[in-house]
Amino acid sequence: MDRDLQDLDRRLRRVTLQSRVQLGVLAVVVAAGLAAFVSDEPGKLRVSELVVVDAEGVDRVRISGDLPDAVVDGRRLVRGEKAAGVILYDGAGRERSGYATFEPSGNVLLTLDNRQSEQNALFVAGPDNAAALRLWQGNDAIDLRTDEAGTRLSVVEGGLVRHQTPVTPIPAEVCEAYTAAVASLGRDRVLRECNGRFTAENCTNCLTP
């Protein structure tokens, strides 16, 4: 009987030791997991991404240090740069607005999109002194800019600047960039891009040898 009791006692001690080891390992795992999310400062949460969903489980808000590209009708729209910030989605999960910084350009953008995920409003500040506010529908737009070319308000109709106050010449370095892009993009496309920022006369003069 004494021998049986001693064997039982040894087994209980072994089980107790194993349980303590397992609890210790679990505590270490939990602590490591929390350390990945909680900062050293009390009351602060440190995460790489936070997604808020509605009652239907649809993503409505995403805050991330590395925002994903937009997806429209199953097609991925590449942003072209690394973006960090906030994206808002509608009830169908479509991207409708974004507020983000971009690298390596250093731009910060606030955008408002329609249900087709096409931008209708853009507010952007460059890494230096340039800034722009643009509202548009199709090929018509109102464009307020301040940059190396000066400050101007442009009214764009059909993709062409119909009115610009004040009318300013295209800076030499900007004209050189447009001219250099003709070889890869073609003159017509470059001209369209130029016409969205400057008068047709200035753009034609810039791209005419």
Side-chain angles (χ1 to χ4, degrees), residues 137-195:
Q137 177 177 329
N139 292 322
D140 298 337
I142 297 176
D143 193 354
L144 178 63
R145 293 176 181 266
T146 177
D147 53 28
E148 70 280 0
T151 300
R152 61 198 180 279
L153 172 65
S154 304
V155 176
V156 180
E157 296 179 348
L160 299 175
V161 174
R162 300 300 184 184
H163 177 72
Q164 190 176 77
T165 306
V167 177
T168 56
I170 302 177
E173 59 273 19
V174 176
C175 183
E176 290 175 1
Y178 280 138
T179 302
V182 170
S184 58
L185 301 178
R187 188 178 187 278
D188 290 343
R189 180 175 176 182
V190 173
L191 188 59
R192 286 197 302 270
E193 294 293 330
C194 181
N195 286 334

Side-chain angles (χ1 to χ4, degrees), residues 84-162:
V86 182
I87 294 179
L88 304 183
Y89 304 89
D90 65 13
R94 292 177 293 242
E95 183 175 325
R96 297 296 302 277
S97 178
Y99 180 38
T101 57
F102 288 80
E103 298 297 339
S105 68
N107 292 327
V108 56
L109 281 74
L110 172 63
T111 63
L112 302 175
D113 306 344
N114 58 30
R115 287 184 175 179
Q116 287 71 47
S117 294
E118 298 171 344
Q119 290 182 5
N120 290 121
L122 170 67
F123 189 19
V124 56
D128 300 317
N129 296 321
L133 173 62
R134 184 178 177 88
L135 308 176
W136 72 95
Q137 177 177 329
N139 292 322
D140 298 337
I142 297 176
D143 193 354
L144 178 63
R145 293 176 181 266
T146 177
D147 53 28
E148 70 280 0
T151 300
R152 61 198 180 279
L153 172 65
S154 304
V155 176
V156 180
E157 296 179 348
L160 299 175
V161 174
R162 300 300 184 184

Side-chain angles (χ1 to χ4, degrees), residues 8-88:
L8 179 59
D9 182 61
R10 283 195 295 269
R11 292 174 185 173
L12 289 175
R13 290 182 180 181
R14 187 179 303 114
V15 170
T16 301
L17 178 60
Q18 291 174 346
S19 298
R20 289 176 178 176
V21 171
Q22 291 172 351
L23 286 174
V25 171
L26 179 60
V28 171
V29 172
V30 171
L34 289 176
F37 294 97
V38 182
S39 69
D40 295 332
E41 301 179 53
K44 291 189 176 182
L45 184 66
R46 184 179 180 86
V47 298
S48 60
E49 183 168 288
L50 177 65
V51 179
V52 179
V53 301
D54 61 17
E56 304 299 324
V58 178
D59 292 356
R60 301 303 299 270
V61 182
R62 182 186 299 270
I63 305 173
S64 176
D66 189 6
L67 292 171
D69 293 328
V71 177
V72 179
D73 296 331
R75 296 181 296 107
R76 178 184 176 189
L77 303 181
V78 180
R79 300 188 191 279
E81 291 188 278
K82 181 179 176 63
V86 182
I87 294 179
L88 304 183

